[in-house]
Amino acid sequence: MWEGASTGERMMRWAARAEHLAGLPRRVVVVAVGAFAKVMTTVLNSTHVHNPETLIRLVRSRPSSVPLLTVSNHMSTLDDPLMWGFKGFPSMDAKLARWVLAAEDICFKNRILSYLFRLVTRGGGIYQEQMSEALDVLNGGGWLHTFPEGKVNQEDVPVRRLKWGTASLIVRAPVTPIVLPIFHSGFEKVMPEKACYGRRPPLPLCMKDIKIIIGEPIEFDLWSLRQTALTHSCEENLNNLGWPKTSPDGLNEAAQRWLFTSISDQIRTAMEKLRTFADASAATQE
């Protein structure tokens, strides 16, 4: 696609810097995408949001040094930005806008897409170089959104086992982020994966019912989790996947795996409770 281009050139890291053209391109993209999300979510579709005030409060009023990490299930390629387009949410304010982890093979297919997505996204997997950029967002007290399931799943099934990337960010962040779980449904009807001859429709569909369930912040006792993880340090290491042999906490690979699994399971449990709540609410309304 870009023969001879390095990963750094493809990812256009310079476009993600705050000083790039004084931040004007990012502001323009955030306003345009935010307006699109508002129209799709509040005008062309019917959206119900549970507990929106918690998300709005954390986006607007949390301490400047405390990062926010929102996590949600992944129902379609339009989950972000549409999930932020509900009424009352500041989706067009670039100062409050989130960064989101994105798949390189979908969002960085050519130079134009790479540039546009670079203004609002971060990419990469656990301990990859791009993941460090996501960590930079948290280090600066910013807002990062992740889809810890790792890929789109449009089936009505329990939340799948989560990837460890989100857990690694929580552990590595100097200031433990506020972790807010979200579950949503309906976006799979707005952008179904197999609508037209087994492919996505050329344009988002309308007149669909969307539900967004926002939970309460998850608290992590990282000190206790790290101490427990140390007891797993003597376990036999599995195949290394590019991880450092030891972390800054002195945890070897086996201990890190236990720590990330424990945190991921806690997040998954919170997300699954929101899914169950959404199902129960839908059953009551019928």
Side-chain angles (χ1 to χ4, degrees), residues 13 16-18 62 64-69 99 101 118 121-123 128-144 168-170 172-175 177:
R13 294 187 179 91
R17 296 170 185 160
R62 72 182 186 282
S64 60
S65 61
V66 178
L68 173 64
L69 179 59
W99 293 91
L101 284 176
R118 247 312 181 184
T121 68
R122 294 291 188 263
Q128 293 179 3
E129 184 177 353
Q130 291 83 12
M131 202 66 167
S132 296
E133 297 180 44
L135 186 60
D136 288 342
V137 173
L138 299 180
N139 290 348
W143 171 22
L144 180 71
S168 77
L169 290 172
I170 295 170
R172 296 163 65 192
V175 176

Side-chain angles (χ1 to χ4, degrees), residues 91-104:
S91 59
M92 292 183 285
D93 189 335
K95 293 182 180 179
L96 300 178
R98 79 282 169 209
W99 293 91
V100 59
L101 284 176
E104 182 176 353

Side-chain angles (χ1 to χ4, degrees), residues 94-230:
K95 293 182 180 179
L96 300 178
R98 79 282 169 209
W99 293 91
V100 59
L101 284 176
E104 182 176 353
D105 60 333
I106 295 177
C107 298
F108 301 95
K109 290 184 175 181
N110 56 55
R111 293 182 185 276
I112 295 176
L113 286 177
S114 293
Y115 179 73
L116 292 176
F117 277 107
R118 247 312 181 184
L119 297 171
V120 293
T121 68
R122 294 291 188 263
I126 185 170
Y127 284 121
Q128 293 179 3
E129 184 177 353
Q130 291 83 12
M131 202 66 167
S132 296
E133 297 180 44
L135 186 60
D136 288 342
V137 173
L138 299 180
N139 290 348
W143 171 22
L144 180 71
H145 182 73
T146 71
F147 297 102
E149 288 180 297
K151 62 180 180 180
V152 171
N153 178 27
Q154 299 196 329
E155 298 178 6
D156 184 14
V157 295
V159 177
R160 296 174 298 178
R161 177 182 178 276
L162 306 185
K163 304 293 185 180
W164 289 336
T166 298
S168 77
L169 290 172
I170 295 170
V171 171
R172 296 163 65 192
V175 176
T176 302
I178 298 171
V179 181
L180 186 68
I182 300 173
F183 182 87
H184 53 77
S185 64
F187 295 124
E188 73 281 7
K189 299 175 184 177
V190 176
M191 183 54 72
E193 288 288 293
K194 299 179 180 180
C196 302
Y197 301 101
R199 307 184 67 177
R200 302 185 193 106
L203 295 173
L205 305 182
C206 303
M207 306 300 292
K208 307 299 181 182
D209 291 325
I210 298 169
K211 291 183 175 58
I212 303 172
I213 311 298
I214 300 169
E216 296 296 334
I218 305 172
E219 295 186 4
F220 293 99
D221 186 350
L222 290 182
W223 185 88
S224 295
L225 288 172
R226 287 189 178 102
Q227 296 305 305
T228 304
L230 286 172

Side-chain angles (χ1 to χ4, degrees), residues 263-277:
I263 292 173
S264 296
D265 287 347
Q266 193 170 340
I267 295 174
R268 180 185 178 280
T269 298
M271 292 171 61
E272 180 61 21
K273 287 181 178 179
L274 297 181
R275 187 189 75 86
T276 302
F277 177 84

